[in-house]
Amino acid sequence: MTWLRDALNDVADDAPQVDLTERTIRTRERRRRVTPLVAAAAVIAAALAATAAVRLLPAEPEAATDPKAVSDLPARGVEPLSHAYMTFCRPQGGEVPAGCVDGGWRVVTRDGRTYRVAQALRGTQSGLVTSPLAISRDGGKIAYYDIGARTFVVRDLASGSVLTAPAKVPKAQLGSIAHLLLSDDGRFLAFTKRPPLKDPAMLFDMREHRVRSFPNGGNPIGLSPDGDTITVAEYAGKTRLQTITRLWQTSKAINVRTVDVTGHYLAGGLGPDGKTVVAVESEEVPGTGCFKSGRDLVQLDRETGKVVQRVPIRGLFTTSNRVYLRSWTGLQEITALAQPLVCKKSRDSDPAPTLDPPYAPFTAYAVNVKTGQARKLATYTAQDFFSLVLPGNPGTL
């Protein structure tokens, strides 16, 4: 009966871990069309068994010739990306994208060509299945969970080369919320998730086929070029910054420095200098349970967690928008992704929505960290902040 035991083990590996608390928070976020990660509380986990049939990408898919057309991602020859987004096909209102695949990822090139990433695991709005995706800073590489490989891969869009992580990652270990950070050169890939449970986070050296474990639960916002130091931000309960060093210097020992930040802040990607952390404050709107962004761009000390500097943001009305920070666009500018704040009074007893969020505009700004001046970059369409990925360090996600 060895074959039966192996089959049952495979099913168990694919059963998703569920963070019920964070799933509840996500449901409330969908109801209010905001995403207040800082409201996350204690972790409650349960395991559900699930299997799903998947369709693999043809060996030589036909490329999109119309910028508005959507086809499967070609094996090679794809131009750098501007962004990626996940699609859900039962929005509360508005149009459904043509060829919508529920929970599927789409990538968009800088000239507007759109492709489905059919090999990537499909996600669900409920959080039962999470599917992270990352884009390199230059837009030329993507990382995602490959349903055939049963682990993460890094794909070079121009050459078509694919690097597969040297360890399997059962879908059960993806948790309710998963994060990826891809190094600029595509060599290193960091994976963290919530709920952490007993599973470690992992840093993969995709070229040398090595794996290094580190504490789970946070959101990776920065990685040194040699992959030896990673910076992690955590928002559950309170804001924390973690600096983890000596990842590859020794076979076992790593050094972890954790600092608590007074107040609730959502950090962006680590600065080009490998040290600077900037954030926006998250403030609860009384009587609603949803959150708005503060007026200032705040610099935090990575070593102490203290506020070093506050710079008022100009050219972007943060108080009327929900603002999340992503990667840096240069030595002095960081990307701020904004969506108009819609906040209604509601009760915890209100029924959960049965439909997906509507497709809505999200506008990216480059904000100068010295002066606070914001300039508009582009507008994207997505269903929520979690479903929209930009190139570079993910920052708040």
Side-chain angles (χ1 to χ4, degrees), residues 11 50 56 71 79-80 113 138 152 156 200 257 316-317 320 347 390:
V11 171
L56 297 179
S71 64
E79 296 295 320
R113 295 175 184 267
D138 64 3
F152 297 105
D156 188 294
R257 180 183 178 86
L316 168 58
F317 296 103
S320 60
R347 301 168 300 177
L390 303 181

Side-chain angles (χ1 to χ4, degrees), residues 40-103:
V43 172
I44 304 172
L48 301 176
T51 58
V54 296
R55 179 173 61 83
L56 297 179
L57 179 69
E60 292 294 337
E62 181 181 353
T65 56
D66 182 347
K68 295 183 179 180
V70 180
S71 64
D72 287 345
L73 185 66
R76 62 186 67 85
V78 178
E79 296 295 320
L81 303 181
S82 72
H83 66 287
Y85 65 100
M86 184 177 282
T87 59
F88 292 99
C89 307
R90 298 178 65 237
Q92 297 171 11
E95 297 183 1
V96 178
C100 185
V101 175
D102 212 39

Side-chain angles (χ1 to χ4, degrees), residues 18-53:
V18 183
D19 185 327
L20 297 179
T21 301
E22 298 208 29
R23 281 183 56 199
T24 301
I25 290 170
R26 281 206 178 203
T27 299
R28 295 177 64 189
E29 288 166 348
R30 291 172 55 195
R31 184 184 304 130
R32 301 178 176 91
R33 296 170 65 183
V34 295
T35 52
L37 276 178
V38 296
V43 172
I44 304 172
L48 301 176
T51 58

Side-chain angles (χ1 to χ4, degrees), residues 164-305:
T164 302
K168 298 293 183 183
V169 180
K171 284 192 292 183
Q173 292 186 17
L174 295 180
S176 298
I177 300 176
H179 306 286
L180 290 180
L181 186 152
L182 180 62
S183 65
D184 291 348
D185 59 2
R187 174 176 176 177
F188 299 105
L189 180 66
F191 158 61
T192 68
K193 60 98 174 189
R194 292 191 63 85
L197 299 179
K198 295 182 180 180
D199 305 319
M202 288 180 279
L203 177 64
F204 301 104
D205 185 334
M206 306 295 280
R207 294 182 188 172
E208 301 297 328
H209 300 283
R210 299 183 296 171
V211 184
R212 196 64 201 264
S213 299
F214 60 95
N216 221 329
N219 182 6
I221 61 172
L223 183 67
S224 62
D226 61 0
D228 204 53
T229 300
I230 191 168
T231 303
V232 178
E234 188 171 346
Y235 312 112
K238 62 173 65 176
T239 301
R240 287 190 175 97
L241 296 176
Q242 258 188 353
T243 303
I244 304 169
T245 59
R246 298 168 57 87
L247 283 164
W248 300 110
Q249 288 184 15
T250 61
S251 59
K252 294 182 180 180
I254 62 173
N255 182 55
V256 181
R257 180 183 178 86
T258 303
V259 295
D260 292 337
V261 179
T262 301
H264 292 294
Y265 296 92
L266 302 177
L270 194 65
D273 60 0
K275 298 179 180 179
T276 303
V277 177
V278 293
V280 291
E281 195 164 10
S282 186
E283 303 172 353
E284 186 170 5
V285 179
T288 65
C290 61
F291 293 76
K292 66 178 182 179
S293 300
R295 298 175 181 272
D296 300 334
L297 195 65
V298 180
Q299 182 176 340
L300 302 175
D301 189 313
R302 192 180 61 161
E303 300 296 326
T304 65

Side-chain angles (χ1 to χ4, degrees), residues 56 119-121 144-153 155 162:
L56 297 179
Q119 302 97 327
L121 177 68
Y144 54 90
Y145 186 92
D146 188 287
I147 52 181
R150 298 186 68 183
T151 191
F152 297 105
V153 300
R155 180 170 177 172
V162 176

Side-chain angles (χ1 to χ4, degrees), residues 317-370:
F317 296 103
T318 57
T319 54
S320 60
N321 287 276
R322 184 63 174 159
V323 177
Y324 279 47
L325 300 179
R326 297 291 176 90
S327 63
W328 291 58
T329 61
L331 294 178
Q332 292 190 351
E333 289 185 324
I334 190 169
T335 302
L337 192 60
Q339 183 191 30
L341 180 64
V342 178
C343 195
K344 300 178 181 179
K345 291 185 178 181
S346 61
R347 301 168 300 177
D348 291 338
S349 59
D350 289 344
T354 58
L355 298 176
D356 303 319
Y359 287 85
F362 292 79
T363 303
Y365 296 83
V367 182
N368 189 299
V369 299
K370 302 293 185 181

